[in-house]
Amino acid sequence: MAAARTTILSILVITTAASLWCVSSSSSSSSSADAAAVEFVKKTVSSHKIAIFSKSYCPYCRKAKNVFKSLNQVPHVVELDERDDGSIIQDALSEIVGRRTVPQVFINGKHIGGSDDTVEAYESGELAKLLGIEVEGKDDL
């Protein structure tokens, strides 16, 4: 019985770790994000047609970035894991959009969502409309 309990506990730990793959391991416990980080996010979003807050190792981020590559669009990407203030910026994203996960994608100042939302918008043709581009045969992602 103890071995079964240990196995179940191990599975729970692995599952939890996998589900937190793209969430910062050094998250802040502060209830409100740093004002400078909030301003950075807002300025970044308003200054670029496509802005993606990402982590370089995250497979979901890679998938979202590949959507834009397939559309021949070059997004402005902020790799949070490559910045000293990445965790603070991630807290600001949480405050602004209500999600702390990455990627977070913005088009023309509008929050699109994460990877699944971006892929869904691509597949429905909504992403091309938001970007103001024509898309002939779409590649499968």
Side-chain angles (χ1 to χ4, degrees):
M1 192 66 156
R5 198 173 298 135
T6 301
T7 301
I8 291 171
L9 182 59
S10 295
I11 291 170
L12 286 172
V13 168
I14 291 168
T15 303
T16 301
S19 69
L20 295 174
W21 175 262
C22 294
V23 178
S24 173
S25 60
S26 61
S27 65
S28 170
S29 60
S30 142
S31 61
S32 69
D34 181 271
V38 169
E39 186 58 32
F40 171 80
V41 170
K42 289 179 178 181
K43 185 174 182 183
T44 299
V45 167
S46 67
S47 301
H48 298 90
K49 182 176 182 177
I50 306 166
I52 302 176
F53 293 87
S54 172
K55 291 191 178 177
S56 62
Y57 59 81
C58 174
Y60 302 103
C61 297
R62 213 170 297 124
K63 189 171 186 176
K65 290 182 273 191
N66 282 336
V67 166
F68 295 100
K69 187 175 185 178
S70 72
L71 292 171
N72 295 318
Q73 299 292 304
V74 180
H76 177 77
V77 179
V78 178
E79 297 290 4
L80 299 174
D81 62 311
E82 296 176 356
R83 298 178 57 105
D84 291 337
D85 61 352
S87 182
I88 296 167
I89 293 169
Q90 199 165 3
D91 290 340
L93 281 167
S94 177
E95 187 172 294
I96 293 166
V97 301
R99 298 182 189 174
R100 196 172 194 295
T101 56
V102 290
Q104 291 304 320
V105 179
F106 297 81
I107 308 287
N108 296 320
K110 179 183 176 196
H111 181 241
I112 300 304
S115 178
D116 291 344
D117 303 310
T118 302
V119 170
E120 186 178 306
Y122 168 74
E123 290 174 347
S124 73
E126 186 62 27
L127 193 58
K129 285 181 193 174
L130 289 171
L131 293 168
I133 60 173
E134 294 277 332
V135 178
E136 295 187 24
K138 286 186 287 198
D139 296 333
D140 288 334
L141 297 175

